[in-house]
Amino acid sequence: ALSLDVAALRRDFPILHQTVGDKPLCYLDNAATSQKPRAVIEAVERYYRQDNANIHRGVHTLAERATAAYESARERIAGFLNAAHNEEVVFLRGTTEAINLVAQSWARPRLQPGDEVLITELEHHSNIVPWQLVCEQTGATLRAVEVNEAGELDLDSFEAAIARRPRLFAVGHVSNALGTINPLSHLIQRAHAHGVPVLVDGAQATPHLAVDVQALGCDFYAFSGHKMYGPTGIGALWARRELLEEMPPWQGGGEMIKMVSIDRSIWNDVPHKFEAGTPNIAGAIGLAAAADYIESVGIEAIAAREDELLSHATEALNDLGGIRIIGTSEKKAAVVSFVVEGVHPHDLGTILDSEGVAIRAGHHCAMPLMEKLGLVATARASMAFYNTKEEIDTLATALQKAKNILG
Ligand code: PMP
């Protein structure tokens, strides 16, 4: 029941059926952004064709329809995350904006000199820099749990750091640079045992794993629509309602108020308090369509398929020789980060592109991780369920070619 009709599913993604140069596109950069199925493209198009209006204030039919569609998208995303309440979902630009919101609205008023914020060496810059900013603003100190050679969190380092009772632990669910899936339930339980709230950067998890915020027991969960087959410019922060209610607004403007006079304003209820200005209405609708799409394919089937692709890619690269895979955890999403002896990842990326193969080369917005691993950059192939073993074989053939030219 877990096997997918990949040929049929690929037809849902118009962009996949093209050539680059004269080669069939082989898109293996899904961790950067995933492609969009027809259902998402059409949901956005339908909204602009039929329902477009500004929301929450209009008395006319289109405004009512647009408002209903936007709020039902919120309900859809609450369901997708198994949130207890729809109001716990704040629509934002994506993971980056969600983490900045928590840093500025939740953490900033609470942090004092001597306090610590704990992150990890695996984090994406968007789960590092917002904490550097707020530590700078408040005099708090930023610390990071260490990673080991396999690209996993060092649990002794974590225990020592969490026992210092930082004010917050901010951790990625799945590493974009290496694919490592962190033992999140364990980390959250241990953090809570020390009274430490936990923010999860779920950017790489929502496309690959079932996320249940109540079962996880985290306090904040941030993610981006574009990594999970939805549009760019939309994502969400989920947070427990009590936390959102305690937090002051971060940006001021329309929509986020109940009453404004020149002297003062009264904030709107959660979550509208955090959605100043006209939101990305079409994006939210597209994101809800992406959640529907994932559900229709089945997240368990997606994970099983991606695991198969990961094994195939790991084997294919190991068979080539002269390639070192970076990130060897037993628990990984479908990401293979690697270096080829004597070849700069950027040169590799360019040669692969001439073979139609799209991968990423660079520091993957994880410069502290690269530094820890003694690297400047890696090449990264990241798979989605719609990728095929043949595409991975094309990657391997192209890599062999690149090695012959550059090695
Ligand atoms: N965290 C992780 C783990 C990511 O992979 C990304 C996107 N590369 C982000 C955060 C930032 O997401 P966005 O750029 O959509 O805000």
Side-chain angles (χ1 to χ4, degrees):
L2 285 186
S3 97
L4 297 174
D5 183 349
V6 174
L9 290 168
R10 285 178 69 83
R11 287 197 287 277
D12 293 341
F13 293 81
I15 203 170
L16 295 177
H17 310 280
Q18 64 176 294
T19 52
V20 170
D22 56 351
K23 304 284 170 37
L25 169 67
C26 182
Y27 187 78
L28 298 172
D29 194 18
N30 293 283
T33 200
S34 62
Q35 298 303 348
K36 320 306 173 197
R38 226 177 278 281
V40 168
I41 298 167
E42 284 169 4
V44 172
E45 186 184 341
R46 197 179 320 115
Y47 166 74
Y48 280 127
R49 279 180 180 274
Q50 298 178 3
D51 302 326
N52 176 56
N54 212 330
I55 57 168
H56 291 145
R57 327 169 246 249
V59 290
H60 58 81
T61 302
L62 263 54
E64 277 169 16
R65 268 197 240 145
T67 305
Y70 182 72
E71 290 304 327
S72 81
R74 194 189 309 280
E75 190 178 336
R76 183 68 193 84
I77 295 310
F80 181 74
L81 301 172
N82 194 32
H85 308 283
N86 299 340
E87 311 83 75
E88 294 179 332
V89 174
V90 183
F91 281 128
L92 297 161
R93 276 197 297 127
T95 309
T96 302
E97 192 172 33
I99 296 173
N100 277 279
L101 168 61
V102 177
Q104 290 300 313
S105 169
W106 186 85
R108 190 172 178 177
R110 282 171 178 73
L111 291 177
Q112 296 187 343
D115 285 344
E116 292 181 4
V117 172
L118 184 63
I119 57 171
T120 87
E121 290 176 345
L122 262 182
E123 301 314 307
H124 186 281
H125 295 163
S126 76
N127 200 24
I128 302 174
V129 183
W131 307 116
Q132 290 176 341
L133 290 171
V134 74
C135 284
E136 175 97 345
Q137 288 156 346
T138 59
T141 304
L142 186 61
R143 288 180 179 271
V145 175
E146 290 182 39
V147 293
N148 65 21
E149 283 288 297
E152 298 165 320
L153 296 182
D154 177 325
L155 293 179
D156 293 334
S157 162
F158 167 69
E159 282 298 331
I162 208 75
R164 298 170 61 92
R165 307 191 64 194
R167 297 300 301 251
L168 181 76
F169 177 44
V171 60
H173 197 162
V174 174
S175 158
N176 65 304
L178 307 182
T180 314
I181 301 175
N182 286 323
L184 201 54
S185 295
H186 171 77
L187 300 175
I188 292 167
Q189 275 171 25
R190 295 299 303 145
H192 284 178
H194 289 278
V196 180
V198 181
L199 173 140
V200 181
D201 168 355
Q204 294 293 338
T206 50
H208 182 74
L209 306 165
V211 173
D212 179 333
V213 290
Q214 293 189 78
L216 283 172
C218 55
D219 300 280
F220 301 98
Y221 198 97
F223 69 98
S224 299
H226 69 97
K227 310 261 190 201
M228 52 173 277
Y229 314 109
T232 51
I234 188 74
L237 172 71
W238 169 86
R240 285 192 291 108
R241 190 163 63 184
E242 316 83 82
L243 293 172
L244 289 176
E245 277 167 358
E246 288 165 19
M247 287 160 57
W250 177 38
Q251 296 181 328
E255 301 269 350
M256 53 74 69
I257 46 77
K258 274 188 177 147
M259 188 286 297
V260 177
S261 66
I262 293 297
D263 303 328
R264 66 190 193 98
S265 300
I266 298 174
W267 313 138
N268 203 341
D269 296 327
V270 160
H272 309 292
K273 183 168 75 173
F274 301 110
E275 294 180 0
T278 302
N280 185 351
I281 305 164
I285 290 166
L287 177 57
D292 285 342
Y293 184 80
I294 289 176
E295 194 173 278
S296 75
V297 179
I299 192 75
E300 307 294 338
I302 288 174
R305 164 79 185 168
E306 290 176 359
D307 284 349
E308 275 178 31
L309 294 171
L310 174 65
S311 304
H312 188 72
T314 306
E315 249 171 63
L317 265 57
N318 281 332
D319 285 351
L320 283 179
I323 290 185
R324 184 155 65 95
I325 293 179
I326 311 296
T328 51
S329 175
E330 287 289 300
K331 292 217 162 68
K332 274 176 64 172
V335 170
V336 185
S337 224
F338 59 95
V339 289
V340 181
E341 274 161 32
V343 178
H344 195 282
H346 281 118
D347 297 337
L348 205 59
T350 307
I351 292 193
L352 293 186
D353 181 56
S354 71
E355 298 294 318
V357 179
I359 60 148
R360 180 137 305 218
H363 53 60
H364 315 296
C365 294
M367 289 175 86
L369 176 65
M370 294 292 123
E371 192 185 342
K372 172 71 178 235
L373 298 173
L375 300 164
V376 178
T378 72
R380 179 188 72 185
S382 53
M383 279 78 71
F385 67 86
Y386 47 61
N387 287 123
T388 63
K389 291 190 178 165
E390 291 71 28
E391 286 179 307
I392 291 165
D393 297 340
T394 303
L395 165 71
T397 308
L399 275 173
Q400 186 57 53
K401 217 172 189 171
K403 282 175 58 184
N404 294 345
I405 297 171
L406 301 166

